[in-house]
Amino acid sequence: MEPVFEFPIVFDDRLQAGRMRQLHEQLRAAILDQRLRQGTSLPSTRDVAASCRVARNTVIAAYDLLIAEGYALPRKGARAVVADIATRRVSKPRRLTAAHGDARMNPAWGAASLQPQPPRDLPERSFRLGIPEHRHFPHAAWRRLSAQSLRAWSKTPFSYAPSEGLPLLREAIAQHVAFARAVACRSDDVIVTSGAQQAFDLLARLLVVPRRTRVAIEDPGYMPLRSAFAAAGARLVPVPVDDEGMCVDRLPKDVRVISVTPSHQSPTGVALSSRRRLQLLEFARNHGAVIIEDDYDGEFRFGGRPLDALQTLDGDALVFYVGTFSKSLFPGLRKGFVVAPPWARAALVGVKHCADSHSDTITQSVLAAFIREGHLARHVRRMRPIYAARREALLDGLRRELGDWLEPIASEAGLHLAVRVREPQLFARILGQAQRFTPGVQSTDEYSSKPLAVPALVFGYGVIDVEAIVPALMRLRRALTR
């Protein structure tokens, strides 16, 4: 049989696509390449079937698909012809500079600061920040409660859970923060979120009027929060941080939202002093501002009695208290919460419903039981001395091995420690050696919109063993000495 096309039709039975799909794709490619030109009559299905040694129904199905896609036109009483595909070709998009982006998008999302950063290629046991220890987690208890939740879920009708979170989890969170952080709230005040990051996004949507609302942020400060408010159209006002936390006296009078990490400043680690806490609340009260209190790792304290949370001191319903379980439990849990003042509660639930119309059932019920049975409190108590030992080893090693170059910044909480470089002109060289010999170390410049006058190094101790800390610092000392 003579070939019916001027190009070969080849079938490969090893491919997942069947012969009809392979025939269709090869004919479509020939039409797009203009090997089958506009107006050309397609060979009869009988001839194609005989030439290609396939069933006629296979050819009919391939032709029908070409017609349905607009690559061929049917004709009554005659063979189908190749369609004019000029209108189907998509022109190449106009090249636009990264500064302007595509005009069809909100230009805010083209900002480099909003682009996700690739994960750092670091050893599992390192000085990296923001990661808690997994080896002491009560995995058996979590598996048991997960199995219980799955069994209970399988016996209930499918339904949508409330977007603000399961009542049992909200009640458990309210009791936990009241006990652990003296935060006075009821379950109705708690809105469950997908980690602190979603909490910041929801609050930005709620509180920001685009291009008008001025939002004060710590500088240096937590970059994902900065990104959430920038994307919402806020006018960001960086406020410097010193050894007492945010410099409240540097707040402009027209800011309407103030974001702080008062328990353990991110990234310097300092605590907002009692004096400045009262100043901050007074400022918000006098100028009609609200405060977002980010308490991301306040459970882990190693000094005396913790300072009261801003929410605890607040008598005027000014504070949104944001918490997360990413540090106390594990990041993959993706659970955080907002304790909202009464006047904003209903509106925040509405924002959450628009962004996330219902919450997951199984993970929330597991977490609620985990808290209710006391596993969270026990896990925090168990981890506190483990992290304390690592912190002490880090402090001792920094003083003994690197005291000539580095000076620790006073900090009594959290899972990371910041240190100043005694001679700022050497910072870049010291940072390069530190990232080589103590992997995971970061610069506070990474948390600022512009280079800082006096940057610092930040060491995490969540996932590094005590016995590995001093040898790493000794290697860094030898490198700096050379």
Side-chain angles (χ1 to χ4, degrees):
M1 173 67 67
E2 291 292 325
V4 293
F5 296 108
E6 297 298 325
F7 49 86
I9 299 292
V10 180
F11 297 105
D12 188 345
D13 292 333
R14 296 172 297 178
L15 298 177
Q16 187 174 5
R19 291 198 163 195
M20 185 281 288
R21 181 65 66 179
Q22 293 183 53
L23 176 61
H24 161 261
E25 290 176 353
Q26 292 179 66
L27 293 178
R28 182 179 62 182
I31 293 171
L32 289 171
D33 294 344
Q34 296 189 17
R35 288 175 289 162
L36 284 175
R37 295 185 174 274
Q38 173 192 348
T40 302
S41 296
L42 294 176
S44 72
T45 55
R46 294 182 188 277
D47 289 346
V48 175
S51 175
C52 296
R53 293 186 174 88
V54 295
R56 187 184 175 208
N57 285 342
T58 298
V59 183
I60 292 172
Y63 277 16
D64 286 345
L65 192 53
L66 291 172
I67 292 169
E69 293 176 337
Y71 291 104
L73 300 175
R75 294 190 298 172
K76 188 174 182 179
R79 291 180 289 175
V81 297
V82 175
D84 178 6
I85 62 167
T87 57
R88 297 181 57 87
R89 295 189 176 184
V90 180
S91 60
K92 292 184 179 181
R94 181 169 55 93
R95 293 183 64 85
L96 298 174
T97 63
H100 295 90
D102 194 306
R104 294 166 291 186
M105 297 190 305
N106 181 340
W109 291 103
S113 61
L114 296 183
Q115 306 310 308
Q117 298 300 314
R120 297 173 184 267
D121 185 17
L122 295 170
E124 179 185 344
R125 315 304 293 179
S126 65
F127 291 94
R128 57 183 175 165
L129 277 63
I131 305 296
E133 180 61 76
H134 72 278
R135 293 180 302 185
H136 302 283
F137 183 79
H139 293 281
W142 190 267
R143 284 194 299 269
R144 175 178 60 81
L145 295 174
S146 297
Q148 288 179 4
S149 295
L150 283 169
R151 285 195 296 271
W153 169 79
S154 66
K155 297 175 183 176
T156 59
F158 291 158
S159 62
Y160 290 102
S163 58
E164 63 266 32
L166 295 183
L168 282 175
L169 178 56
R170 292 160 60 208
E171 178 66 33
I173 290 173
Q175 293 179 4
H176 168 68
V177 295
F179 171 76
R181 301 293 290 121
V183 171
C185 64
R186 302 173 303 160
S187 61
D188 289 344
D189 301 322
V190 177
I191 292 93
V192 179
T193 62
S194 296
Q197 183 60 38
Q198 189 187 46
F200 301 141
D201 178 66
L202 299 177
L203 291 172
R205 299 187 196 202
L206 176 70
L207 300 172
V208 170
V209 177
R211 296 179 297 280
R212 195 170 82 192
T213 305
R214 301 193 78 193
V215 177
I217 55 174
E218 297 169 318
D219 191 37
Y222 186 54
M223 293 303 290
L225 177 138
R226 182 191 303 256
S227 298
F229 278 87
R235 297 167 61 195
L236 299 181
V237 181
V239 179
V241 174
D242 63 17
D243 287 351
E244 289 188 69
M246 175 183 273
C247 298
V248 178
D249 59 350
R250 302 283 292 275
L251 287 169
K253 291 182 172 55
D254 59 350
V255 297
R256 293 296 172 261
V257 181
I258 306 163
S259 173
V260 289
T261 49
S263 297
H264 187 233
Q265 202 275 331
S266 175
T268 66
V270 300
L272 190 66
S273 66
S274 296
R275 177 176 65 89
R276 288 196 182 167
R277 289 173 192 243
L278 296 177
Q279 286 179 344
L280 183 57
L281 289 167
E282 182 181 7
F283 177 95
R285 182 170 55 252
N286 293 339
H287 295 90
V290 297
I291 299 169
I292 298 173
E293 178 177 14
D294 178 12
D295 194 11
Y296 62 100
D297 63 358
E299 294 98 337
F300 299 113
R301 287 199 60 83
F302 313 110
R305 178 186 177 277
L307 295 171
D308 288 328
L310 289 171
Q311 198 273 355
T312 306
L313 300 171
D314 177 24
D316 300 287
L318 304 171
V319 177
F320 291 85
Y321 180 89
V322 176
T324 177
F325 296 99
S326 294
K327 308 298 185 292
S328 57
L329 294 178
F330 55 95
L333 181 59
R334 301 313 306 139
K335 289 292 173 286
F337 58 91
V338 181
V339 177
W343 58 268
R345 187 188 309 133
L348 186 57
V349 171
V351 176
K352 175 67 160 60
H353 186 76
C354 288
D356 191 4
S357 62
H358 62 280
S359 56
D360 72 283
T361 302
I362 297 172
T363 306
Q364 287 200 37
S365 62
V366 176
L367 179 57
F370 191 84
I371 298 172
R372 198 169 56 247
E373 292 187 6
H375 297 293
L376 173 60
R378 283 192 292 274
H379 179 60
V380 170
R381 286 198 302 270
R382 179 186 305 147
M383 295 308 301
R384 196 174 286 135
I386 294 173
Y387 291 140
R390 296 175 181 179
R391 176 177 173 273
E392 285 302 316
L394 178 58
L395 279 169
D396 183 63
L398 288 169
R399 294 185 183 116
R400 186 156 38 89
E401 302 294 336
L402 297 165
D404 291 341
W405 294 278
L406 305 177
E407 176 188 10
I409 298 174
S411 171
E412 294 187 344
L415 301 182
H416 69 261
L417 183 72
V419 295
R420 293 190 181 93
V421 175
R422 294 187 184 276
E423 299 183 51
Q425 70 273 17
L426 299 178
F427 180 82
R429 295 170 64 186
I430 292 176
L431 174 63
Q433 296 298 325
Q435 290 178 332
R436 177 182 177 187
F437 293 99
T438 52
V441 168
Q442 294 180 237
S443 165
T444 52
D445 270 342
E446 298 181 42
Y447 294 78
S448 179
S449 56
K450 60 183 182 301
L452 297 169
V454 185
L457 302 178
V458 189
F459 291 79
Y461 48 81
V463 291
I464 189 162
D465 297 313
V466 168
E467 54 271 19
I469 292 174
V470 173
L473 298 180
M474 291 175 66
R475 290 192 291 272
L476 176 56
R477 175 182 57 76
R478 288 194 292 268
L480 295 179
T481 303
R482 287 194 299 269

